[in-house]
Amino acid sequence: MKFFVDTADVAEIRALNDLGLVDGVTTNPSLIAKSGRDMSEAIKEICDMVKGPVSAEVTATDAAGMLAEAAKLRAIADNVTIKVPLTEAGIQACKALSDDGASVNVTLCFSASQAILAAKAGAAFISPFVGRLDDIGQDGMSLIAEICEIYGNYNFPTEVLVASVRHPMHVVDAARMGAHVATVPPGVLKQMFKHPLTDKGLAAFLADWEKTGQSIL
Ligand code: E4P
């Protein structure tokens, strides 16, 4: 399973990248706004740091506009993945960009039928938003199971990129279902380290070690 980091905060990406945990990065217009950065500059900096795919999202809502923006974003670095919304125009742009050799991440996916369209349009990634489905009382992870089953039935090469991840169990469930990628906010990635028995066990080991009066070095 690949881990993408779901943020445009360069410092946070650097810290996780130094841990060897980052296979790619996803951004969206809200994350760029939160970072307070110029989009092109932030994407360039992230692409220079991270070797894997870095998603940069278009903001035009018509296919021609999306393609014009995609051309500019693709020029930033070779590892830019163009993120388009799951609309008719987005799927049209996805097909054109994929045919032209671009890596495309189709975002804002909330149903299996939408995921089929993205795969048919040649998307490199489909981004189903599990947390936002949970928020409205639906089961986000059931959608991941459905898409993994459907893509597996036809050997679609489109990778399932679990997005809108809110807690470590989303990541664990995604891994159990065989999703290719989870894009994880830095805070959730840090939560994945935590278990109270680890802290308690380490404290006990250190206390016992202290009693021995020994030092390894
Ligand atoms: C990533 O590609 C998505 O834009 C992101 O995971 C959405 O997360 P949110 O629902 O927490 O905003």
Side-chain angles (χ1 to χ4, degrees), residues 97-145:
L97 288 165
S98 303
D99 284 351
D100 192 41
S103 167
V104 182
N105 175 0
V106 180
T107 190
L108 290 167
C109 171
F110 294 95
S111 75
S113 61
Q114 291 179 318
I116 292 169
L117 296 176
K120 294 289 291 176
F125 302 100
I126 182 69
S127 289
F129 279 32
V130 295
R132 292 192 195 187
L133 281 171
D134 293 351
D135 288 345
I136 60 159
Q138 296 186 16
D139 180 10
M141 292 315 300
S142 297
L143 175 60
I144 302 303

Side-chain angles (χ1 to χ4, degrees), residues 6 26-28 30-31 55 57 83 105 107-108 127 129 131-132 135 161-166 183 185:
D6 198 22
T26 51
T27 68
N28 63 35
S30 303
L31 292 171
S55 287
E57 188 161 342
K83 213 171 171 194
N105 175 0
T107 190
L108 290 167
S127 289
F129 279 32
R132 292 192 195 187
D135 288 345
L161 194 172
V162 180
S164 190
V165 163
R166 299 278 163 78
T183 188

Side-chain angles (χ1 to χ4, degrees), residues 1-5 21-24 26 53 105 115 119 123-128 141 143-163 165 170-184:
M1 176 185 227
K2 285 177 276 192
F3 273 172
F4 289 1
V5 192
L21 289 174
V22 179
D23 299 305
T26 51
N105 175 0
F125 302 100
I126 182 69
S127 289
M141 292 315 300
L143 175 60
I144 302 303
E146 270 184 83
I147 299 173
C148 287
E149 180 192 347
I150 292 166
Y151 282 11
N153 286 345
Y154 297 97
N155 289 324
F156 281 130
T158 305
E159 295 193 16
V160 180
L161 194 172
V162 180
V165 163
H170 274 151
V171 182
V172 172
D173 289 341
R176 294 183 70 184
M177 289 171 188
H180 305 84
V181 191
T183 188
V184 189

Side-chain angles (χ1 to χ4, degrees), residues 67-102:
L67 293 176
E69 290 179 354
K72 186 167 174 201
L73 295 171
R74 287 174 76 184
I76 295 174
D78 289 343
N79 54 334
V80 167
T81 286
I82 303 300
K83 213 171 171 194
V84 299
L86 213 155
T87 57
E88 275 191 45
I91 291 297
Q92 194 184 341
C94 174
K95 173 82 177 118
L97 288 165
S98 303
D99 284 351
D100 192 41

